[in-house]
Amino acid sequence: MKPVPVAQVGQAVDGVIAALESFAGQPAKGGAWTAVQTLDHLIQVHRGVVLGLRAKEPLPRRAPFFLVRRTMVGFVLRNAIPVPAKGAQLSCPAEADFASMAGDLQKLQTKLELRASEGIPPDQLVMNHPVAGPLNFDETMAIVHAHLVYHIKRAGK
């Protein structure tokens, strides 16, 4: 996966908020998440990335199969292939305030951009993805961007 600038991730944050906003307040279809629950999920991911940057842990040695997994995860996300959210636990009610949640996601993106502007070494662990494994900053931004694109494409479905 090629690197994605943190500003492009920010554009995708704005895009997913816009895509979900038209479905805010509507009931979820067939067991899917509501728009605000999707925002909650995205907030959890962004919070995890910000916390991972704060931890400043070294990237562990990775088995070669993680490259294949990262590639597969990126492909599935960019093409909006429906998959179960492994390990995702919602922490807000279906009727939570959309605007407040959208603001929370944008604040986390601002923190992410600020931290990224300080520079992140390529050998720092930023996220330990449940399928793609341990990720550095560039790999994390590529997966987070693809994840946002997934939710833009899946909005309302």
Side-chain angles (χ1 to χ4, degrees):
M1 295 176 65
K2 67 180 190 175
V4 175
V6 71
Q8 192 173 342
V9 172
Q11 292 168 350
V13 164
D14 293 339
V16 77
I17 290 169
L20 291 170
E21 192 169 25
S22 60
F23 299 101
Q26 293 182 14
K29 294 179 182 178
W33 295 337
T34 64
V36 75
Q37 288 173 321
T38 302
L39 280 180
D40 176 55
H41 168 68
L42 296 171
I43 286 167
Q44 289 178 40
V45 171
H46 255 63
R47 188 176 292 126
V49 171
V50 170
L51 291 173
L53 288 169
R54 240 186 244 159
K56 298 184 179 181
E57 293 181 27
L59 188 66
R61 188 178 177 113
R62 300 178 289 182
F65 68 84
F66 279 121
L67 174 59
V68 174
R69 285 184 173 194
R70 283 193 305 276
T71 303
M72 287 177 15
V73 167
F75 177 82
V76 166
L77 291 173
R78 281 189 308 279
N79 290 288
I81 298 168
V83 292
K86 197 173 185 182
Q89 301 292 322
L90 297 176
S91 63
C92 80
E95 65 279 352
D97 181 58
F98 184 88
S100 173
M101 298 290 281
D104 289 348
L105 180 56
Q106 289 170 322
K107 285 177 192 171
L108 284 166
Q109 177 62 29
T110 300
K111 286 181 182 181
L112 178 59
E113 291 174 9
L114 179 62
R115 179 61 184 94
S117 72
E118 297 167 359
I120 295 131
D123 61 347
Q124 180 179 332
L125 173 66
V126 175
M127 173 189 260
N128 198 353
H129 190 274
V131 177
L135 306 173
N136 68 19
F137 184 71
D138 286 343
E139 294 160 344
T140 299
M141 289 301 94
I143 293 280
V144 168
H145 183 264
H147 182 235
L148 290 162
V149 168
Y150 173 90
H151 284 291
I152 290 169
K153 290 180 177 181
R154 301 282 313 153
K157 294 182 181 176

